[in-house]
Amino acid sequence: MLARSDKTSDAAPAPAPATQDGTRGEAFNRAQRHSRRVRVLKFAVPLLAAAIAIAFPVYSYLKAPISISVQADGTAFSNGKLVMANPKLNGFTKQKLPYSLTATRATQDVGQQAVIDLEGINAKLPVATDNIVSVDAEHGIYNRDANTMNLTSDVSVTTTDGLAAKFKSIFLDMGKGSMKTSNPVDVSRGGSRITADSMSVEDNGRLVVFENRVRVNIDPTALKAAGVNSGEQNASQ
Amino acid sequence: QSSATSQMSGLKLSGDQPIQIESDKLEVRQADSVAVFSGNVTVNQGQTLLKAGKMTVYYVKDPKADKSAAAGASAMTGAANIDHLVVENKVYIKSNDQIATGDTGTFDMKTQVLTLQGKEVVLSQGDNVLKGCKLTVQMKSGLGNVDGCGSSGRVIMSITPQKQGTAQQGASSK
């Protein structure tokens, strides 16, 4: 593009033979200016590209708030452990949906900031925009960096669409939206119920696998009574 | 291709009766509205008992059910309506005194048709035995039809007259 503009200015002075040496001097200056411009651009353009490459990720990181805030009523410090009374933790799942976690007591080892031991837990885990899974458990270990929660004793899970589940223990990965347990489970909804010795939920409930002694009881009439509105027409008509 | 028809009112699964399913494993894939029971699957509904190696339940794809876990949950606990189910790896169906066995079977809840296929489909009622390659039962009417194998296949039927002369379930063959 730069070269082309030189050619047009050249054509204009050519017919005047008298200023022969003048045009030659001018042409020489223009060529010199051109090469200086190229030298500058050779350096400036890559620098500009690098600057953009760095700025973009920084900008997008700042834009997505990965804030994990912790508030607690009272905190005490005893033998190298920070003890918090009814703490509240908030964070975001991969789909940028907020999840919240409250407990009666949290203890955090000073050495391991990310791992928090919780008692009397209630967690609200958004599995979808319109469906929040609320989890209650006596005891659990929350890992802030990994965004996971390992509930180690009697857990009860309920969802806004009427699903109720009981587990001996369960491992929740809030980031990935997955749940896993290798202890007995009991899941019921309306009039139907599933029990099994282990279960894993992947991809926010899109894939659920029960294993070992799986038993499903479906009572369609109770389902209707429970107002489960999944498809009005009855399959058997 | 000869076939035999007989009355099989027991052999059916219906969508509005309590049903109990047991298996080693259950996988619910919400995206395709499918629940796969695998590993000695047993299904109990009223008088009917079904055993198979694998049973795949296809739920009615609910257009308004969004892709969330809610739909997964409803498929998971059978609340969603069943469109049809496919049973494989050695199928055994027993209802009252009728027993049918085959390799694979399908229950279509919409058309209420049960089919059982295999190298040898055996349908027995008491001492009467009917063998062929395909059993089709209209679950509503209970009318069953056994087709022979291949184009010239024959249906083998053996009827054992009741000794005490009790009323014998008519099994007319075309």
Side-chain angles (χ1 to χ4, degrees):
Chain A
M1 184 183 59
L2 297 174
R4 222 172 318 103
S5 58
D6 289 355
K7 215 176 286 74
T8 46
S9 55
D10 248 357
T19 60
Q20 191 60 22
D21 44 14
T23 53
R24 208 179 311 107
E26 222 170 280
F28 177 75
N29 293 344
R30 252 195 327 290
Q32 213 182 10
R33 269 202 313 281
H34 173 62
S35 53
R36 212 177 308 114
R37 217 178 291 129
V38 164
R39 249 200 315 286
V40 166
L41 285 183
K42 213 167 32 173
F43 177 70
V45 167
L47 189 70
L48 195 61
I52 294 175
I54 294 166
F56 183 69
V58 170
Y59 168 75
S60 62
Y61 176 74
L62 294 179
K63 218 44 197 86
I66 306 283
S67 70
I68 297 196
S69 67
V70 181
Q71 302 97 15
D73 289 0
T75 54
F77 196 74
S78 65
N79 51 56
K81 279 213 179 351
L82 182 67
V83 181
M84 289 179 267
N86 38 53
K88 276 193 289 304
L89 282 81
N90 301 306
F92 283 87
T93 61
K94 208 164 44 120
Q95 288 77 18
K96 296 287 167 288
L97 295 172
Y99 69 80
S100 80
L101 208 66
T102 56
T104 46
R105 208 160 75 95
T107 50
Q108 185 182 28
D109 193 320
V110 176
Q112 281 180 317
Q113 291 291 335
V115 177
I116 305 168
D117 193 287
L118 296 159
E119 280 146 41
I121 297 158
N122 175 280
K124 293 272 182 305
L125 168 62
V127 183
T129 42
D130 59 354
N131 188 17
I132 310 282
V133 175
S134 105
V135 180
D136 293 283
E138 269 161 45
H139 175 250
I141 298 145
Y142 173 69
N143 184 319
R144 222 181 352 202
D145 295 349
N147 217 352
T148 62
M149 161 73 88
N150 185 9
L151 300 172
T152 50
S153 67
D154 294 344
V155 184
S156 91
V157 175
T158 51
T159 68
T160 32
D161 65 4
L163 187 103
K166 298 239 170 337
F167 306 103
K168 286 280 171 304
S169 75
I170 190 152
F171 179 77
L172 286 152
D173 185 329
M174 268 79 93
K176 285 212 276 320
S178 73
M179 285 201 249
K180 269 189 202 43
T181 175
S182 46
N183 302 71
V185 300
D186 180 336
V187 182
S188 59
R189 181 163 183 275
S192 67
R193 186 163 168 227
I194 299 182
T195 56
D197 282 357
S198 80
M199 179 191 92
S200 94
V201 176
E202 298 296 334
D203 193 1
N204 282 333
R206 270 186 270 289
L207 172 67
V208 182
V209 177
F210 295 88
E211 277 187 281
N212 308 339
R213 285 190 323 124
V214 179
R215 172 168 298 155
V216 174
N217 284 306
I218 303 171
D219 181 356
T221 41
L223 283 185
K224 295 285 176 307
V228 175
N229 47 24
S230 57
E232 299 69 25
Q233 39 87 324
N234 185 319
S236 71
Q237 261 119 29
Chain B
Q1 196 222 19
S2 69
S3 76
T5 346
S6 84
Q7 193 54 28
M8 306 169 213
S9 53
L11 295 185
K12 67 179 185 332
L13 280 178
S14 67
D16 58 359
Q17 304 286 332
I19 191 168
Q20 191 196 32
I21 308 165
E22 284 174 31
S23 69
D24 292 347
K25 184 178 177 195
L26 162 62
E27 195 181 303
V28 181
R29 282 198 302 279
Q30 189 273 318
D32 344 331
S33 297
V34 154
V36 181
F37 293 86
S38 48
N40 25 50
V41 183
T42 31
V43 179
N44 279 302
Q45 181 172 60
Q47 295 299 326
T48 311
L49 164 69
L50 164 73
K51 281 186 185 299
K54 180 180 173 198
M55 176 167 88
T56 312
V57 180
Y58 295 87
Y59 289 97
V60 174
K61 267 212 167 55
D62 188 350
K64 52 187 182 343
D66 58 26
K67 285 289 162 265
S68 67
S74 67
M76 178 160 76
T77 50
N81 283 317
I82 296 172
D83 182 72
H84 66 283
L85 37 98
V86 173
V87 279
E88 298 156 284
N89 316 15
K90 290 273 160 300
V91 181
Y92 166 91
I93 309 174
K94 178 179 183 310
S95 164
N96 314 1
D97 61 350
Q98 288 171 331
I99 296 175
T101 57
D103 295 343
T104 63
T106 61
F107 287 80
D108 188 320
M109 294 308 192
K110 291 194 303 307
T111 57
Q112 288 294 287
V113 168
L114 174 153
T115 67
L116 205 54
Q117 289 98 359
K119 277 194 295 305
E120 192 194 52
V121 174
V122 176
L123 171 63
S124 66
Q125 185 170 14
D127 308 334
N128 310 336
V129 178
L130 204 53
K131 283 196 184 123
C133 262
K134 185 172 184 211
L135 162 68
T136 315
V137 177
Q138 304 298 336
M139 294 201 268
K140 264 199 221 108
S141 64
L143 197 62
N145 181 311
V146 177
D147 297 310
C149 305
S151 55
S152 64
R154 299 165 56 75
V155 177
I156 306 145
M157 179 191 297
S158 65
I159 299 173
T160 330
Q162 302 297 344
K163 288 181 204 49
Q164 302 82 7
T166 50
Q168 183 199 325
Q169 187 87 28
S172 63
S173 73
K174 271 200 273 315

